[in-house]
Amino acid sequence: MKPVSICAWWWLVVLVLGLGPEAQAATDNLNPTGSMEYGVFRSDSLGRDVPYAVSLPPSYATSPERRYPLVIFLHGMFNDERDWEARGVQAALDAARAKGQVGDFIVAIPRGENSFYINAKQGDRYEDAIVRDFLPFVEKRYRTLGTRQGRLIAGISMGGYGALLIAFKHPSLFAGVAAHCAAIFTEVPRPPQSADDRIGLWRYGLATKLYGDPPDAEFFEAHSPLAVARARADAIRTLNIYFDVGSEDRYRFDIGNQRLHETLDAVRVPHEFTLATGGHGWAFLVARSEAAFGFCWRTLAPSVSPGSAKSRRK
């Protein structure tokens, strides 16, 4: 009789004893480096093919019957799907896995151009592209759990805004949302009073592209995470909510994030908010990666059946 290998013996222990998510994470982390794939998906909402990236966990290639929780991640302005890897976020996720802080999940990143991921007043329908096109594509193409409990949406800057808005408008699709230095406006941007007000000029120019020229106040409210949170407080209480922002955010989005924190407190929606030392952008996310990925895993881990090495679609 041939001796049983250590690897085979360990998986036998996992299956027999019914180890929970923490133990599952430990086995995942024996080889913590994930892999990246790049491709395109067809978006009927946009009428064209759209590039995307996907981060596959290290066990994906070796466990062909296993299904995984899913994070949809939305990038920021003037970025694209390749920045997840290029800016060090994938490396930070690998590091968190290596430390046993998170288990295995898939991350899918669609290209969002500079859309803010909304159905623009006059322009592309990016919210529909994410909800109606990209999410179904990912769940057909990759081995996801395909359940609300196994899905989370996250994003940075413009993508943080998009993640919050989409989660608040579609809470039945996601177990949670995570946003980093989200680009939240507290009111409709108005024309700046001075040509020296560069941030004011930038904000107003962006608002005219998103909310109409001049910006339509009613349309703005319908796409404000602050207003949607107030209007849909009962529905979004089902979400796990996390957001953080730098105290030195160069666009002053710390003000909008603080206002969202106050708004959620006022309508009694539980959430995690951190005003952290730092600026705006990818370096801030990488610095906060342990807390960010820890939140993602705490939200998604219950979707992985305790003791199951092969979580299946329900």
Side-chain angles (χ1 to χ4, degrees):
M1 181 176 178
K2 294 182 179 180
V4 178
S5 70
I6 292 176
C7 181
W9 176 85
W10 176 250
W11 278 111
L12 180 63
V13 171
V14 170
L15 291 170
V16 173
L17 297 183
L19 300 180
E22 295 81 4
Q24 182 64 62
T27 63
D28 290 341
N29 295 332
L30 293 175
N31 178 18
T33 302
S35 63
M36 298 295 302
E37 285 189 4
Y38 297 92
V40 297
F41 71 98
R42 180 65 184 177
S43 172
D44 291 337
S45 301
L46 300 175
R48 60 180 180 269
D49 290 345
V50 178
Y52 76 92
V54 66
S55 164
L56 297 173
S59 61
Y60 193 86
T62 58
S63 303
E65 296 183 21
R66 183 174 169 186
R67 291 189 175 274
Y68 296 84
L70 171 67
V71 174
I72 298 291
F73 186 89
L74 308 180
H75 65 73
M77 283 190 73
F78 308 113
N79 300 143
D80 62 32
E81 72 286 352
R82 292 181 177 271
D83 281 287
W84 170 272
E85 184 177 22
R87 301 300 185 99
V89 188
Q90 179 62 34
L93 177 56
D94 289 338
R97 285 197 181 113
K99 295 177 182 178
Q101 296 170 337
V102 300
D104 280 0
F105 52 85
I106 294 169
V107 183
I109 309 105
R111 181 174 296 183
E113 303 300 340
N114 293 331
S115 65
F116 271 64
Y117 304 96
I118 68 171
N119 292 336
K121 187 174 178 64
Q122 296 175 328
D124 287 329
R125 303 182 65 81
Y126 268 89
E127 177 187 331
D128 288 347
I130 301 302
V131 173
R132 297 183 181 181
D133 303 329
F134 187 58
L135 180 57
F137 165 80
V138 171
E139 297 206 321
K140 183 178 181 180
R141 173 69 176 79
Y142 298 96
R143 298 194 312 273
T144 68
L145 291 175
T147 64
R148 175 187 183 271
Q149 293 76 17
R151 291 190 206 107
L152 183 143
I153 189 166
I156 183 169
S157 189
M158 173 187 82
Y161 164 98
L164 289 166
L165 186 62
I166 290 173
F168 290 176
K169 293 180 70 175
H170 304 277
S172 64
L173 291 179
F174 305 99
V177 57
H180 314 286
C181 38
I184 300 174
F185 299 102
T186 58
E187 60 184 7
V188 182
R190 295 179 174 83
Q193 299 300 308
S194 169
D196 295 331
D197 183 2
R198 291 184 295 175
I199 292 180
L201 285 168
W202 175 81
R203 284 173 172 257
Y204 185 72
L206 179 60
T208 61
K209 295 176 181 178
L210 297 175
Y211 311 118
D213 190 4
D216 182 322
E218 184 176 351
F219 190 81
F220 171 85
E221 285 291 302
H223 295 83
S224 165
L226 303 174
V228 176
R230 288 191 295 267
R232 297 179 55 80
D234 288 342
I236 69 174
R237 286 194 187 97
T238 62
L239 293 167
N240 288 346
I241 301 171
Y242 170 100
F243 56 107
D244 53 24
V245 68
S247 56
E248 289 82 43
D249 189 294
R250 64 183 178 276
Y251 300 113
R252 297 312 313 274
F253 287 132
D254 53 309
I255 297 173
N257 279 260
Q258 181 68 38
R259 184 70 59 83
L260 178 60
H261 168 55
E262 295 166 357
T263 298
L264 293 174
D265 270 351
V267 295
R268 298 182 180 179
V269 172
H271 60 283
E272 298 180 37
F273 168 63
T274 301
L275 177 64
T277 300
H280 183 94
W282 294 100
F284 177 80
L285 171 55
V286 170
R288 297 280 308 160
S289 59
E290 290 189 5
F293 292 136
F295 167 82
C296 291
W297 183 239
R298 290 195 306 275
T299 299
L300 295 172
S303 68
V304 181
S305 301
S308 172
K310 299 176 182 178
S311 300
R312 300 180 182 277
R313 189 184 304 270
K314 298 179 181 178

